[in-house]
Amino acid sequence: MESSLKQKLFVCLLKGVVQADFVFFDPKPDDFHGVKILLQTYLDDTQWDLSGFVDLILAQTTVGTVVKIEGDDDDTPFAIVTALNLGRYKDHKCIKELKEFLLKVCQEKDVIRDLRLLMGEQAHDVGLLVSQRVVNLPPQLLPPLHDALFDEVSWATEDEPTAELRNSFRFKCYLLVSKIYKHKNANQKNNRNLIRRSGSDGGDGIVYIKPEDENFHKLSLWSFSFPMHTQQVETQEANYCLMGFVMAVETAKISTFRQQLQSLVVES
Amino acid sequence: MATRLMFENSCEVGVFSKLTNAFCLVAIGGSESFYSTFEAELADVIPVVKTSIGGNRIIGRLCVGNKNGLLLPHTTTDQELQHLRNSLPDQVVVQRIEERLSALGNCIACNDHVALAHTDLDRETEEIIADVLGVEVFRQTIAGNILVGSYCSFSNRGGLVHPHTSIEDLDELSTLLQVPLVAGTVNRGSEVIGAGLTVNDWTAFCGSDTTATELSVIESVFKLREAQPNAVVDEMRKSLIDSYV
């Protein structure tokens, strides 16, 4: 594994530009190790049934995409995207632990009520949108990746063999667990974790690690951030700290999101 | 008996610990349960020492040792060196060495009698290994990989090597090391044996993703089932098994 990585780096240094063809695959059991690495810090440094969570994702072959490079001997996943119905999988240990974790880290009284509802009574209408990737994944992949996900969800509502399964993909709302960098001074306002949704970009002191999170955030029903123990790679901006970020986005807003994503990539 | 555990959410137990017949090193940080799992298995028999190396937690990959000694990379700080010298038994010689390939745990695999070394290791380092660890050193590759410490793990009783090792290589290595060897995986198909598990003559620790089949291969090749360092430890182990597996 080390030698092929070294070769790729060497080529990079020589030519400056690397040609890579990315391919989208359905999740399969062999992707276990790669996907697990991508999801290592999904719930901060909590010890939870991450292996069980990865197994769940890989077992759902009708909805979910793994991004790999064409002809790569290592078969390494570069990104994973999927949507898991919180009601369908509610009895799995990993989902129970995930719900516990989110309820524990949510510090906002207004949001926690909605969160509890979403993960409890309304769970069968909620899709946990899992999207993790390597830091340098080309942004041009984001629109097709998200299109693939939402298209697969809508196909599943028609193609799944049982009515129960078909209904399980009729999400009314998506829940996202992500990460952002927040300016340290932003916390010194009145409400510690309340994020001000200002019209101008960057005005709210947030740097979105995944560019589409900004779009999701603007369209979200509610959101909250929480402090993390794991630290990402040394950031140049010492004034920003890494925080976990949870959002709820209604399905009705998804088509707007998809349109916005197209233009986001065109600009960059 | 082999124990399954995790360091934070990582199953790479061999990265964050180093187990020998005379001592056990465990990385600082992570949860207390990581340290206490080792303590519970080993406390009465050998010291379990918490440490970092050069401020890093990946101690298992940076150092190499056996009952005779412990070799540390040049990145080890003076405090860490002193701490280790103070905490380890007197017969274990602790030495910091100047070797360009500083991830000693990846480059060298050893038991109390033999060591396998990276082909590009310094001559001087080879001599120090032979001297301090009291072993015979062989420069080898494992399934074409030069990082011998990463792709195999062996004790005085048996060894586990990269799954793609050929039969001829297995026989050759087995003759050199004078222990039975098996090609296999740990942590649900991971080929990086050295990172996934840490073992001595009577016990092994591996990541919690390790399947029952892999575990039984490990217990069999390292002869852990018959292993009894002393009656007391055996007694303790029986009552603890239920809570791990």
Side-chain angles (χ1 to χ4, degrees):
Chain A
M1 193 154 59
E2 281 92 347
S3 57
S4 78
L5 263 174
K6 264 195 258 173
Q7 271 169 19
K8 284 177 188 153
L9 189 63
F10 192 57
V11 167
C12 214
L13 292 170
L14 280 180
K15 298 183 184 172
V17 172
V18 175
Q19 188 74 15
D21 293 317
F22 289 91
V23 192
F24 290 4
F25 289 97
D26 283 343
K28 59 187 204 296
D30 286 345
D31 296 328
F32 178 80
H33 288 285
V35 172
K36 189 173 178 196
I37 290 175
L38 287 172
L39 293 172
Q40 201 72 35
T41 52
Y42 191 60
L43 294 188
D44 199 7
D45 60 358
T46 318
Q47 203 147 324
W48 66 302
D49 188 16
L50 176 60
S51 298
F53 188 59
V54 176
D55 283 335
L56 213 63
I57 292 175
L58 298 178
Q60 193 179 274
T61 49
T62 46
V63 170
T65 301
V66 179
V67 179
K68 297 181 186 170
I69 284 194
E70 176 116 54
D72 185 6
D73 298 325
D74 289 335
D75 209 26
T76 331
F78 280 69
I80 173 78
V81 138
T82 190
L84 300 172
N85 184 304
L86 285 181
R88 176 180 175 190
Y89 298 114
K90 68 174 171 11
D91 294 325
H92 287 251
K93 182 167 177 243
C94 53
I95 298 296
K96 286 185 189 161
E97 287 174 330
L98 185 135
K99 288 182 183 173
E100 254 175 58
F101 174 79
L102 291 179
L103 288 171
K104 189 182 74 170
V105 293
C106 180
Q107 301 293 314
E108 284 175 62
K109 292 191 221 64
D110 329 322
V111 175
I112 202 167
R113 235 177 300 126
D114 293 328
L115 180 66
R116 198 169 271 132
L117 206 64
L118 219 58
M119 299 196 303
E121 279 172 31
Q122 299 174 353
H124 48 267
D125 294 326
V126 178
L128 181 71
L129 204 158
V130 182
S131 173
Q132 294 282 100
R133 66 189 73 126
V134 294
V135 175
N136 54 354
L137 194 82
Q140 296 94 312
L141 290 173
L142 297 177
L145 193 59
H146 286 88
D147 282 344
L149 177 71
F150 296 120
D151 284 343
E152 281 189 320
V153 167
S154 102
W155 295 333
T157 62
E158 291 162 30
D159 296 340
E160 287 281 14
T162 69
E164 194 187 345
L165 280 175
R166 286 194 291 271
N167 288 334
S168 73
F169 287 104
R170 292 186 213 284
F171 300 124
K172 296 211 179 88
C173 187
Y174 288 97
L175 188 64
L176 290 88
V177 180
S178 190
K179 295 185 184 67
I180 52 168
Y181 280 101
K182 207 155 164 221
H183 198 278
K184 288 188 180 141
N185 291 332
N187 285 338
Q188 284 158 18
K189 297 197 176 128
N190 286 339
N191 283 338
R192 246 189 89 75
N193 285 317
L194 189 65
I195 294 164
R196 303 214 162 279
R197 294 192 221 134
S198 58
S200 57
D201 290 323
D204 47 5
I206 296 178
V207 175
Y208 298 92
I209 297 174
K210 296 190 297 213
E212 74 275 15
D213 277 351
E214 188 169 7
N215 299 71
F216 273 130
H217 185 195
K218 293 202 174 99
L219 297 166
S220 65
L221 207 53
W222 48 257
S223 65
F224 69 90
S225 65
F226 58 90
M228 289 196 112
H229 300 118
T230 41
Q231 283 307 306
Q232 300 270 62
V233 181
E234 277 295 310
T235 47
Q236 285 161 328
E237 300 296 321
N239 290 326
Y240 286 85
C241 62
L242 181 68
M243 301 200 78
F245 192 56
V246 180
M247 303 181 265
V249 180
E250 290 166 303
T251 307
K253 299 274 163 58
I254 292 298
S255 48
T256 316
F257 166 78
R258 287 168 79 165
Q259 278 171 355
Q260 286 179 354
L261 199 61
Q262 300 285 350
S263 50
L264 181 85
V265 176
V266 166
E267 279 162 38
S268 58
Chain B
M1 268 329 258
T3 310
R4 282 186 278 210
L5 73 166
M6 285 206 284
F7 180 88
E8 289 183 0
N9 267 314
S10 172
C11 287
E12 309 295 352
V13 172
V15 169
F16 301 101
S17 62
K18 178 62 77 175
L19 178 64
T20 70
N21 287 325
F23 60 89
C24 179
L25 301 181
V26 170
I28 293 181
S31 59
E32 265 310 298
S33 73
F34 187 71
Y35 177 72
S36 59
T37 307
F38 282 94
E39 268 270 287
E41 271 290 317
L42 305 167
D44 284 357
V45 194
I46 55 176
V48 181
V49 181
K50 273 190 186 171
T51 187
S52 59
I53 294 182
N56 276 311
R57 304 189 304 180
I58 53 169
I59 60 173
R61 312 328 306 150
L62 296 176
C63 71
V64 63
N66 62 15
K67 70 168 166 53
N68 302 317
L70 174 68
L71 293 177
L72 300 165
H74 60 87
T75 50
T76 315
T77 66
D78 291 337
Q79 283 119 307
E80 288 162 350
L81 187 60
Q82 199 52 50
H83 167 63
L84 285 166
R85 286 206 169 117
N86 291 341
S87 320
L88 296 183
D90 292 333
Q91 75 268 23
V92 177
V93 177
V94 180
Q95 189 153 331
R96 182 170 52 190
I97 61 176
E98 294 301 314
E99 161 61 61
R100 180 181 58 94
L101 300 170
S102 53
L104 301 176
N106 284 340
C107 299
I108 307 158
C110 72
N111 61 13
D112 294 333
H113 309 289
V114 193
L116 294 181
H118 189 294
T119 43
D120 299 337
L121 221 58
D122 274 352
R123 275 262 143 252
E124 228 186 279
T125 307
E126 195 182 321
E127 283 166 19
I128 298 177
I129 298 172
D131 217 19
V132 174
L133 300 184
V135 294
E136 205 178 338
V137 184
F138 297 104
R139 287 169 192 260
Q140 281 289 321
T141 60
I142 307 239
N145 288 299
I146 45 178
L147 295 176
V148 288
S150 304
Y151 293 102
C152 80
S153 193
F154 59 97
S155 68
N156 296 324
R157 317 190 65 195
L160 188 66
V161 300
H162 190 291
H164 298 155
T165 311
S166 65
I167 309 277
E168 299 84 45
D169 283 354
L170 258 182
D171 284 338
E172 194 191 320
L173 284 169
S174 192
T175 316
L176 272 179
L177 303 178
Q178 290 293 295
V179 294
L181 295 179
V182 147
T185 58
V186 71
N187 282 334
R188 203 161 148 173
S190 170
E191 305 164 337
V192 196
I193 314 288
L197 74 87
T198 190
V199 63
N200 69 8
D201 286 351
W202 70 85
T203 191
F205 296 89
C206 50
S208 48
D209 277 345
T210 308
T211 64
T213 316
E214 289 170 335
L215 209 65
S216 96
V217 168
I218 289 168
E219 288 182 344
S220 155
V221 77
F222 290 107
K223 303 195 175 56
L224 300 177
R225 292 193 195 108
E226 308 99 64
Q228 288 177 44
N230 60 54
V232 176
V233 178
D234 203 35
E235 210 54 43
M236 211 169 60
R237 209 182 292 131
K238 284 199 187 93
S239 59
L240 290 166
I241 286 169
D242 285 344
S243 46
Y244 301 148
V245 175

